[in-house]
Amino acid sequence: MLATFQILVVTTLLASFAYWLLPARWVEGRRAVLLVVSGVLIYIYSPATLFLAVATALLAWALYALTRRYPQYGWLPWLVVLPLVLNAFAPLGDLIPFPAGSPRSVLFTSLTTLGMSFYTFKLYASIKQGLKLQSLPFREILTTTLFFPAFPMGPIDASQKFDHAALSRDPDVRRWAMGLGRIGMGAIKAYIIGGWIKSTAAIYVFGVPMDAMYDRGPDGPVQALLFAFFSFAYLYVNFSGFTDVAIGAGWMFNLDLTENFKFPLIAHSIQNFWQRWHLSLAAFITRYMFKPMVRRTGRPVVALIVTFTLIGMWHEVTVGYLIWGLAHGGALGATLWWRTRRSGRPPLLPPLVLRWGGVVVTLAFVSFLSTLANLPSLGRMHDYLGALIGV
C-alpha cells in the first residue's frame, strides 16, 4: 500500500514537470500529459476499470448530445449511472474490479470500490453544466473522468475544472509547493494516524486490530460503541487523507479541486454534519437531487428521505446502506420539521449544552450508521446489534 502511494507521488512529480515544460498555449499537450499518465496508471491497476471509465465517459458525451437535441427528455443525463446499476446487479461479479494487489481491509475495500464510482456523478454534473454552457468537449469530460489523483475517491468535480482556461494557467511555484505539502498531510492522515487507529490503538482497546474486529465482533455494549467510533474515525482519516492527496496533486498542476471536508468530527447536528462531511457529494445531492424533488413534490422532508435512500443505494446495494440512507434522510427531515416548528421560540436547553451535547449525539449517530453500513454481512450486523444492546 505504501509502495503504491510512493509510486503516486513520484508519478505526480514527474507528470507535473512534464506538464509545466509545455507553454501555456499548448493546452492540448498539457491535457495529453494528464490523460496518458492517468490512463497508464489506471490500466496497471485494472484494464477493465479503464475500459469501463472510458466507456462511461463516451456514454455521458452521447447523453449530453441527445439531451441538447431533445431537451424535453430532461431525465436522459441520469442514464449515465447505468454502468453502476449493472455493476450492482451483475450476476457474474463486479464490472468494476478491485485493483489487483491492493489491501483487502474491509473499510479500504469498500472505500476504494465506492470511489471508483464517483466519476459517474462527475459526469452527470458535467452534462448539466455542459447543457448550461452549450458546450462539452469530449476531451474535457475524459480528463475529469480519468484524472488519476481524484479517480479513486473524488472529490466530485465537473469537467469545467479541466477546461481550456484551467489548463492554460501559468506555473505557480508556491501552489506547487503547497500541493506537495498537502499530499504529505494526506499521507500522515491515511498512513500514520490511520495506521495507529487500525493497529496500535485498536489492539490496546480491543485486543485485536480493526480488521479482526469485523470478523470477531465486539463483546458487549461498551466495545460496540467504541468500535463504532474507532471505525468511523478510521474511515474519516483515510477518506479525508486521500482527498488531501487528490487536492494537493491538483494544486501541483494549478488545478482547483473542491474541498471535501470541514472538520466533520465537531458537527453539532446532523444538518451541520452534512455541511462539513463530503462537501462535493452534499453539493451534488442538494443541486441535482434534493432541490428538483422539492420543486416537484413541495415536500422537503419526503425529498430528504428519498434522496438519502438513493444515495445509500449508490454507495452499495445492501441492507446496511439502505438503513444508512433512510436514517440520514429521516434525521435530516426530522431536524427540518423540528426547526420549522420551533422557529421563533427560545431554545429548550442552554446554547453550550445544545452545542456540545449535539456533538456527542451527532458523532455517535453517524458512527453507528457508518459501522452498520460497512459490516460485511447480515450475520455480522445481527451480532453487532446484539452486542450493542447487551444480548
Side-chain angles (χ1 to χ4, degrees), residues 123-182:
L123 293 176
Y124 180 87
S126 298
I127 294 171
K128 296 296 285 186
Q129 289 191 25
L131 290 169
K132 184 177 180 180
L133 299 172
Q134 295 294 296
S135 175
L136 184 60
F138 179 68
R139 59 187 179 274
E140 291 181 11
I141 208 169
L142 188 62
T143 310
T144 194
T145 305
L146 300 183
F147 185 56
F148 67 94
F151 184 83
M153 299 183 187
I156 299 170
D157 283 313
S159 59
Q160 284 67 36
K161 294 283 186 177
F162 302 89
D163 62 11
H164 186 279
L167 269 61
S168 63
R169 293 170 184 155
D170 292 327
D172 189 328
V173 176
R174 180 176 173 272
R175 292 202 83 201
W176 188 93
M178 288 175 59
L180 196 58
R182 185 73 181 263

Side-chain angles (χ1 to χ4, degrees), residues 249-287:
W251 288 354
M252 293 178 73
F253 297 96
N254 209 359
L255 300 171
D256 296 315
L257 303 187
T258 301
E259 291 289 345
N260 229 12
F261 295 94
K262 189 179 179 181
F263 306 108
L265 299 186
I266 61 170
H268 54 81
S269 69
I270 190 63
Q271 185 182 46
N272 187 238
F273 174 78
W274 281 102
Q275 293 167 347
R276 296 172 176 273
W277 174 268
H278 206 341
L279 300 179
S280 62
L281 177 62
F284 181 94
I285 293 170
T286 301
R287 183 172 185 177

Side-chain angles (χ1 to χ4, degrees), residues 218-260:
D219 297 324
V222 174
Q223 272 203 5
L225 285 171
L226 289 173
F227 178 62
F229 286 121
F230 270 65
S231 60
F232 185 71
Y234 180 55
L235 172 69
Y236 168 64
V237 295
N238 272 273
F239 199 175
S240 64
F242 284 109
T243 301
D244 286 336
V245 170
I247 292 171
W251 288 354
M252 293 178 73
F253 297 96
N254 209 359
L255 300 171
D256 296 315
L257 303 187
T258 301
E259 291 289 345
N260 229 12

Side-chain angles (χ1 to χ4, degrees), residues 39-215:
V40 168
L41 286 177
I42 297 169
Y43 180 86
I44 289 171
Y45 280 114
S46 169
T49 298
L50 177 62
F51 170 79
L52 184 62
V54 174
T56 309
L58 283 167
L59 172 63
W61 195 42
L63 290 172
Y64 159 74
L66 283 172
T67 310
R68 187 173 176 181
R69 184 169 183 178
Y70 304 105
Q72 66 270 30
Y73 301 119
W75 50 266
L76 279 172
W78 280 113
L79 293 180
V80 77
V81 304
L82 185 60
L84 279 183
V85 175
L86 294 175
N87 181 68
F89 296 101
L92 300 179
D94 283 347
L95 296 174
I96 307 178
F98 193 72
S102 297
R104 297 290 175 161
S105 139
V106 175
L107 278 176
F108 190 81
T109 301
S110 299
L111 187 60
T112 305
T113 305
L114 166 64
M116 289 183 178
S117 69
F118 282 158
Y119 61 76
T120 57
F121 277 5
K122 296 180 188 179
L123 293 176
Y124 180 87
S126 298
I127 294 171
K128 296 296 285 186
Q129 289 191 25
L131 290 169
K132 184 177 180 180
L133 299 172
Q134 295 294 296
S135 175
L136 184 60
F138 179 68
R139 59 187 179 274
E140 291 181 11
I141 208 169
L142 188 62
T143 310
T144 194
T145 305
L146 300 183
F147 185 56
F148 67 94
F151 184 83
M153 299 183 187
I156 299 170
D157 283 313
S159 59
Q160 284 67 36
K161 294 283 186 177
F162 302 89
D163 62 11
H164 186 279
L167 269 61
S168 63
R169 293 170 184 155
D170 292 327
D172 189 328
V173 176
R174 180 176 173 272
R175 292 202 83 201
W176 188 93
M178 288 175 59
L180 196 58
R182 185 73 181 263
I183 291 174
M185 185 173 72
I188 290 172
K189 282 185 183 178
Y191 294 106
I192 297 179
I193 300 176
W196 179 80
I197 293 172
K198 180 182 176 182
S199 55
T200 306
I203 291 172
Y204 178 78
V205 174
F206 305 115
V208 294
M210 286 291 295
D211 288 348
M213 283 295 293
Y214 278 94
D215 296 324

Side-chain angles (χ1 to χ4, degrees), residues 275-317:
Q275 293 167 347
R276 296 172 176 273
W277 174 268
H278 206 341
L279 300 179
S280 62
L281 177 62
F284 181 94
I285 293 170
T286 301
R287 183 172 185 177
Y288 297 117
M289 299 179 72
F290 172 68
K291 286 184 177 180
M293 203 173 297
V294 170
R295 285 195 293 268
R296 286 178 176 272
T297 65
R299 304 178 69 181
V301 172
V302 173
L304 281 168
I305 295 172
V306 172
T307 296
F308 274 88
T309 301
L310 292 173
I311 290 298
M313 295 293 94
W314 167 74
H315 279 76
E316 193 174 354
V317 183

